[in-house]
Amino acid sequence: MDEDMLRCVTEQGFAARTLPLPLYVRAHAEVLVPAADAGERLDLRAADIPLLDVAVAADRRGALRQLVERAAVLRILRSGHGSLHDPRDPGGDARDDGPPAVGAGDSHDEAVARAIYQELACRRTESGIEKGTLITGRDQADGPGGVALRGVDGRIDCYLLGETAGVPAVGAVLRLDRLERPLCAVVCDLWERRGVERAVQAVLREFVVTTLPRREGTDRAPFPYGDFHDVVAVGETDFATLTPRPPRDETGELRDRLRLHGHRASVRVLGPADRTALVACRLEPTAKSEATANSEPSAESEPVKRPTTDAEDDWRPRDVATLRLRAPRQLSLTYERDDVRIGRVYHENSKMRTAYGTLPVVDIAEMSPPARRLLGQAYRDFGHARRQYPMRPAGEPRLLTLDQVVRRRRSWAAMGDGELTRAELAHLLTLSYGTTGAAVAGQDLRLPLRATPSAGGLYSSDLFVLVDRVTGVEPGLYYFHPGKRLLQLVDDGRTLAEVAEYTGYRERAGEAAAMVVYVGAFRRNQWKYRERGYRTVLLDCGHLAQSVVTAATSLGLVAHPMIAFVDDYFNAYVGVDGVEDAVLYLTLLGPRRTGDEAA
């Protein structure tokens, strides 16, 4: 699970954050940040977040696995122990020539294999790369070697670069017309197809790093994969001919190849084996320890304990072997996944899928005549209301041109303290949600069409208007009946000033002459669209709100859409349960203040 990988990052004293990538990069990125920035929220000062490392993979789990490994390397470096030497063994053979390779996986064997691959890749780049076999056909591959960039001026070339200790090396070179120099990456992997995928992800990581802002006073960090963009292609091989799958016993095969080439893997367990396995690894000549050349530590090996320092609790990150980058200043970094989990579950459940039937097939011609007639009655009716006002304006209104409407519309334009006229309100409602025509459905049904689009012509939104200052209309909450073009009284026991207390902009709402309340009627829609119907109801409401704003502006009025309101209060006020029917949106209406024509 992703949570296991994330927990392994936090237990090492760091935090992970998702990094949004450009849409033309087909990958997922995570960044390693100090633990203090794990819960960072919206900061209007746009404070910098230091990035300790960047991971790019096909999915979030793969990126988090890389961060687990990098976090372990940083801990080893900051402890002052760059070797696998056990500090409890003064006579042990210590090598302090840099940090060991670290691998993380779902099992001990997987973690060991990843660590060995990383160590071999470092050795391959250190030995110099001058030639390789070009891998062709990758762009058409349907698997791990698929296209990683789309719609850009450039390409990613992959090469077979021979073997290191009997393990194939795969390199990737990213060439973009607007890059100062090509970018390169090398990986080692027994499964060459997986090696192509990992090499592409590694070079994408370097590309992402080049796009991030660097902290002031720091130079660009050296590229860990070396620079071999001038590699000479000495032949070609098709991607489809590469090793189709990894060996069944991958670690056993690795051990055999290392032994054959005079190496053994020295491994220590860094993390618990019951969750994400985490190991550190070095390759050593077998001659140094013949007695243990054929043995490899198991998952029960003694774990490396966190080194003791003079300040045991001071694990604030220092600039040791980090990229010295800072996060881009974008608000998409200011929330945690748990903050939006339910919304993402909803979005997933409301997707349409063609693999199996998710929506009932609706054929209007096969519906009974009463059912067909219901389709044309997408409204409520407060026919017994003690007050009703016709909304059939006489004459044509004087409207601004579309160009003027678009340029003039401002939500926060100043409102005057005067009244709206009944004619203005009637024009607004008619232009935004009135019936504008009819469609023939079968031989016995004419469906009314309105000024605003709606999924399936089901018109899942209802308009209520809270009147405060409208000439010829007494204050109160009214329902707009689009078929009869009537305002029908719903409630006159509360004033707009009282209702404004339950919005996020009390003073602004108090300036309005009227308030439009949009109610979503889910049952009217979801009998046909099921879970996806929730999404279409929201879209219908958005269409209608924009129509109201456009019509109001064309009439010279101010329209201020508002989402800040207490849902339960407004649901109870209108009289809906908030489940089958719910208030979704508000729009404040008022006359434009005199002299504010340019606002």
Side-chain angles (χ1 to χ4, degrees):
M1 299 295 289
D2 293 355
E3 288 73 17
D4 292 338
M5 290 292 179
L6 188 59
R7 188 182 305 115
C8 199
V9 172
T10 58
E11 287 178 349
Q12 296 186 82
F14 301 96
R17 302 286 293 274
T18 298
L19 178 69
L21 292 179
L23 293 180
Y24 55 81
V25 180
R26 304 181 69 177
H28 183 92
E30 294 281 330
V31 292
L32 191 69
V33 300
D37 292 299
E40 191 264 343
R41 291 295 192 270
L42 181 61
D43 186 346
L44 297 180
R45 298 170 301 174
D48 288 345
I49 302 174
L51 303 188
L52 308 180
D53 212 324
V54 179
V56 175
D59 52 31
R60 184 173 186 243
R61 180 171 180 77
L64 287 175
R65 188 202 321 258
Q66 294 178 29
L67 290 192
V68 169
E69 296 166 349
R70 188 55 181 164
V73 171
L74 288 179
R75 287 196 58 170
I76 293 172
L77 287 172
R78 291 170 180 173
S79 70
H81 295 275
S83 70
L84 293 184
H85 169 57
D86 190 337
R88 299 169 302 173
D89 181 12
D93 182 15
R95 291 179 57 200
D96 197 10
D97 54 352
V102 174
D106 295 330
S107 66
H108 175 77
D109 284 351
E110 181 183 6
V112 169
R114 284 180 61 88
I116 293 175
Y117 288 145
Q118 291 184 35
E119 181 78 359
L120 291 175
C122 289
R123 295 187 175 215
R124 184 68 188 91
T125 56
E126 290 171 357
S127 64
I129 300 172
E130 297 179 354
K131 59 185 179 179
T133 301
L134 180 65
I135 300 173
T136 62
R138 187 183 65 85
D139 288 350
Q140 287 72 41
D142 195 26
V147 179
L149 295 172
R150 59 180 179 181
V152 298
D153 293 329
R155 67 186 191 275
I156 298 178
D157 293 323
C158 293
Y159 301 86
L160 291 177
L161 304 175
E163 295 183 345
T164 300
V167 178
V170 178
V173 180
L174 171 60
R175 298 180 175 91
L176 292 177
D177 292 350
R178 294 179 177 85
L179 281 181
E180 294 181 3
R181 65 175 180 85
L183 306 176
C184 316
V186 175
V187 301
C188 288
D189 203 304
L190 286 176
W191 185 12
E192 293 170 342
R193 293 194 185 190
R194 184 175 62 193
V196 170
E197 177 188 17
R198 291 178 52 218
V200 168
Q201 292 166 3
V203 81
L204 285 179
R205 171 197 176 274
E206 174 63 6
F207 172 67
V208 171
V209 168
T210 64
T211 65
L212 293 173
R214 191 160 302 281
R215 291 156 69 182
E216 294 183 5
T218 61
D219 296 325
R220 189 181 184 281
F223 188 32
Y225 301 102
D227 193 351
F228 61 93
H229 61 270
D230 290 327
V231 59
V232 176
V234 295
E236 294 184 359
T237 185
D238 192 272
F239 178 83
T241 65
L242 300 182
T243 310
R245 62 183 61 85
R248 179 171 300 178
D249 180 11
E250 189 169 0
T251 53
E253 178 70 18
L254 275 174
R255 183 172 55 247
D256 291 343
R257 294 196 186 193
L258 291 176
R259 184 187 304 114
L260 182 63
H261 288 78
H263 296 284
R264 72 179 181 92
S266 177
V267 178
R268 292 193 68 81
V269 176
L270 302 179
D274 59 335
R275 293 200 305 269
T276 300
L278 184 63
V279 303
C281 169
R282 280 198 190 280
L283 298 185
E284 300 176 351
T286 53
K288 294 188 64 174
S289 181
E290 295 292 346
T292 58
N294 297 324
S295 63
E296 189 167 340
S298 66
E300 288 74 31
S301 301
E302 179 69 23
V304 172
K305 299 182 180 298
R306 189 178 111 180
T308 302
T309 64
D310 292 336
E312 180 66 19
D313 295 327
D314 184 12
W315 274 82
R316 291 172 295 180
R318 301 193 299 273
D319 290 333
V320 179
T322 63
L323 293 178
R324 298 177 182 267
L325 300 173
R326 59 178 173 82
R329 293 177 176 175
Q330 47 187 325
L331 299 183
S332 50
L333 281 178
T334 59
Y335 66 82
E336 299 295 335
R337 284 178 172 262
D338 285 344
D339 298 338
V340 294
R341 186 178 300 275
I342 299 301
R344 294 187 176 185
V345 170
Y346 144 67
H347 190 79
E348 182 65 28
N349 289 342
S350 66
K351 289 179 179 177
M352 293 187 74
R353 295 175 173 84
T354 58
Y356 55 92
T358 57
L359 298 176
V361 178
V362 177
D363 187 346
I364 295 179
E366 295 182 356
M367 298 172 65
S368 64
R372 287 203 298 272
R373 285 193 292 273
L374 283 175
L375 296 179
Q377 300 173 7
Y379 44 75
R380 306 171 194 269
D381 194 345
F382 294 81
H384 299 287
R386 66 175 181 271
R387 288 203 302 268
Q388 300 190 55
Y389 296 94
M391 290 285 110
R392 296 178 180 271
E396 295 294 330
R398 295 182 59 185
L399 303 176
L400 300 177
T401 66
L402 179 60
D403 181 80
Q404 291 173 316
V405 169
V406 171
R407 295 177 183 277
R408 193 178 190 189
R409 189 219 64 79
R410 294 292 183 271
S411 297
W412 282 91
M415 293 183 185
D417 56 4
E419 298 180 336
L420 300 182
T421 68
R422 180 169 161 182
E424 287 174 331
L425 183 59
H427 282 305
L428 185 152
L429 295 174
T430 300
L431 290 173
S432 58
Y433 216 34
T435 300
T436 57
V440 178
Q443 297 180 353
D444 60 344
L445 178 63
R446 290 178 62 84
L447 293 177
L449 301 178
R450 301 188 195 173
T452 294
S454 173
L458 300 177
Y459 299 104
S460 59
S461 294
D462 288 308
L463 280 184
F464 291 77
V465 183
L466 174 54
V467 171
D468 185 60
R469 304 189 313 273
V470 177
T471 57
V473 180
E474 294 186 42
L477 177 68
Y478 294 86
Y479 172 69
F480 174 60
H481 193 301
K484 298 178 181 179
R485 295 196 185 181
L486 290 175
L487 277 186
Q488 300 173 325
L489 180 66
V490 177
D491 185 290
D492 61 356
R494 307 180 204 186
T495 66
L496 191 148
E498 293 172 326
V499 173
E501 295 288 335
Y502 294 87
T503 70
Y505 299 96
R506 179 184 60 186
E507 294 183 1
R508 177 63 170 173
E511 298 175 358
M515 175 189 292
V516 179
V517 180
Y518 307 83
V519 173
F522 298 109
R523 185 179 292 275
R524 195 181 297 166
N525 174 294
Q526 288 184 309
W527 66 269
K528 180 178 181 180
Y529 294 112
R530 303 292 172 87
E531 287 283 30
R532 193 169 181 84
Y534 185 79
R535 193 190 300 199
T536 62
V537 170
L538 300 183
L539 292 172
D540 282 0
C541 180
H543 292 318
L544 178 54
Q546 178 62 24
S547 293
V548 168
V549 169
T550 301
T553 307
S554 70
L555 290 163
L557 308 177
V558 176
H560 185 160
M562 190 164 60
I563 194 69
F565 59 89
V566 180
D567 291 71
D568 291 342
Y569 174 85
F570 274 85
N571 288 330
Y573 177 41
V574 172
V576 296
D577 61 8
V579 179
E580 298 289 349
D581 308 276
V583 175
L584 302 177
Y585 208 15
L586 308 176
T587 296
L588 306 177
L589 298 175
R592 187 175 291 265
R593 188 170 62 191
T594 303
D596 195 44
E597 300 302 317

